Amino acid sequence: MKVVVTGASGNVGTALLRRLAQEPDVQVHGMSRRPPGDAPPYRGVPWTPVDLGRAGAEEVLKTAFEGADAVVHLAWMIQPSRDERRLYRTNVAGSAQVFSTAAEVGVPHLVHMSSVGAYSPGGKDRHVDESWPVNGVTSSFYSRHKAAVEHMLNKFESQLLISRPRPGLILQSDAGSEIHGYFLGKLVPKSLFRQRIPVLPLPRRLVLQFVHADDVADGLALILKHRPHGAVNLVADPVVTPRVLAEVLGGRHVPVPEGLVRALASVSWHLRLQPTPPGWVDLALKSPLLDASRARIELGWKPQFDAQEALRALVRGIGEGKDVPASPAL
């Protein structure tokens, strides 16, 4: 089975390469903006460089997709957060190019990596399944783009078998530097994560769900095997509250108003002190909690890491400055 993976050099892509290397009947073809080196997990993987945000991507995609049994679309840009037009070209217009090319070539199975960020706002007092609306959180560019791609994908349902994994926040130790750079930058030094953080000021409603990248990769492998139609939530237990987050960091949670956190994020972002716009705060506060029953029941998916273990792996990776080997920016 030939599987083409776009964005194969990122957080999820590297985990998927490791996972599919265990399948003797799977041949992986990787794609990213720049070809990586020959270190694991890239060694032996045929590679095609492509920039989905630039003209000419269609012909490159068409050649790579020829003869593919499945395309796993992971490519997505989070930075530069101050250039939404550039992000849109890759995330939305680039995804449209992937979908239309897959349909034109006749790829039997398309797996699009969606996200909890595609969902409409929901409370933190219940879990929702895959039927929850996907209109996003409008103040977050990431959420708007994920929701827009989901709606665009509907137009291809008559031409392709489409699976839509929707994971929570995906963490692994090797992505520590990447995630730190995306969301914290120089304002919060990596060295801080090598010691106890005594106080963590966060709103009470900042309740999150995490999942380890290796478990997402296993979920994707099961999706490639069972070919489910539609959305599949992928999250690990337990839900991580601000108190739990503080405990993992070695301190205690101090509740603060949501408006204060958003204002600080906005000011520091506009002053270019850190790379995360305030829409990410809104997304964290408003995104619903997900029910992953479909993945567990229909696919037999069982996370090997609980949410706290995934979080600890990330904290360890940031503190140690870990990064996926030779990973270019997506």
Side-chain angles (χ1 to χ4, degrees):
M1 178 170 68
K2 177 183 176 181
V3 178
V4 179
V5 182
T6 71
S9 61
N11 179 18
V12 181
T14 52
L16 183 58
L17 293 185
R18 292 194 299 264
R19 175 62 180 81
L20 293 182
Q22 303 172 24
E23 303 293 333
D25 60 340
V26 174
Q27 175 196 358
V28 179
H29 188 107
M31 305 188 78
S32 63
R33 286 175 60 200
R34 292 180 292 274
D38 193 40
Y42 309 119
R43 186 168 297 151
V45 177
W47 211 273
T48 298
V50 63
D51 187 338
L52 297 179
R54 293 191 175 183
E58 181 181 5
E59 290 304 315
V60 178
L61 291 170
K62 190 179 297 184
T63 300
F65 289 1
E66 199 68 47
D69 298 287
V71 168
V72 181
H73 179 44
L74 304 178
W76 198 267
M77 288 184 73
I78 292 178
Q79 295 293 346
S81 62
R82 294 175 177 82
D83 189 353
E84 186 172 349
R85 183 175 298 181
R86 180 182 174 189
L87 298 178
Y88 184 93
R89 284 200 305 267
T90 294
N91 296 344
V92 182
S95 292
Q97 196 73 262
V98 170
F99 304 156
S100 61
T101 304
E104 180 182 351
V105 173
V107 174
H109 186 198
L110 174 65
V111 182
H112 166 63
M113 178 58 76
S114 187
S115 166
V116 61
Y119 283 113
S120 300
K124 303 293 187 177
D125 57 346
R126 57 173 291 197
H127 289 68
V128 304
D129 64 15
E130 291 84 358
S131 65
W132 194 256
V134 283
N135 295 316
V137 174
T138 56
S139 58
S140 163
F141 76 80
Y142 174 86
S143 187
R144 288 195 304 271
H145 290 178
K146 283 292 186 183
V149 172
E150 284 261 13
H151 288 284
M152 179 175 60
L153 198 54
N154 294 338
K155 302 175 184 177
F156 295 90
E157 287 283 1
S158 62
Q159 304 170 66
L160 295 164
L161 170 62
I162 301 172
S163 302
R164 313 181 189 210
R166 295 177 183 156
L169 302 178
I170 305 171
L171 311 178
Q172 64 168 317
S173 181
D174 284 349
S177 292
E178 179 183 6
I179 293 173
H180 177 272
Y182 280 160
F183 298 107
L184 299 176
K186 296 180 181 179
L187 184 64
V188 182
K190 295 178 184 177
S191 59
L192 188 65
F193 291 84
R194 295 198 293 267
Q195 53 193 299
R196 177 176 171 269
I197 300 176
V199 175
L200 189 66
L202 290 175
R204 295 184 188 275
R205 199 159 59 102
L206 201 145
V207 177
L208 303 169
Q209 288 175 295
F210 299 123
V211 60
H212 197 283
D214 287 345
D215 287 323
V216 173
D218 190 52
L220 291 172
L222 290 168
I223 286 171
L224 288 169
K225 177 181 179 181
H226 296 287
R227 295 160 56 94
H229 173 265
V232 182
N233 292 338
L234 297 173
V235 289
D237 294 326
V239 168
V240 175
T241 64
R243 182 184 62 80
V244 172
L245 183 58
E247 289 175 354
V248 169
L249 294 172
R252 65 185 181 89
H253 170 229
V254 175
V256 295
E258 296 174 4
L260 175 61
V261 173
R262 194 186 195 283
L264 290 173
S266 179
V267 170
S268 58
W269 182 70
H270 281 98
L271 291 176
R272 298 180 178 269
L273 299 176
Q274 54 85 18
T276 304
W280 283 100
V281 177
D282 298 334
L283 182 59
L285 293 170
K286 296 180 180 180
S287 60
L289 299 179
L290 305 186
D291 180 348
S293 295
R294 185 186 187 198
R296 290 181 169 88
I297 295 171
E298 295 186 22
L299 302 180
W301 181 67
K302 184 178 180 181
Q304 299 303 304
F305 301 88
D306 68 31
Q308 292 186 38
E309 289 172 330
L311 178 59
R312 290 190 182 96
L314 176 68
V315 171
R316 184 171 62 252
I318 294 175
E320 296 175 359
K322 287 192 173 183
D323 208 345
V324 289
S327 174
L330 292 180

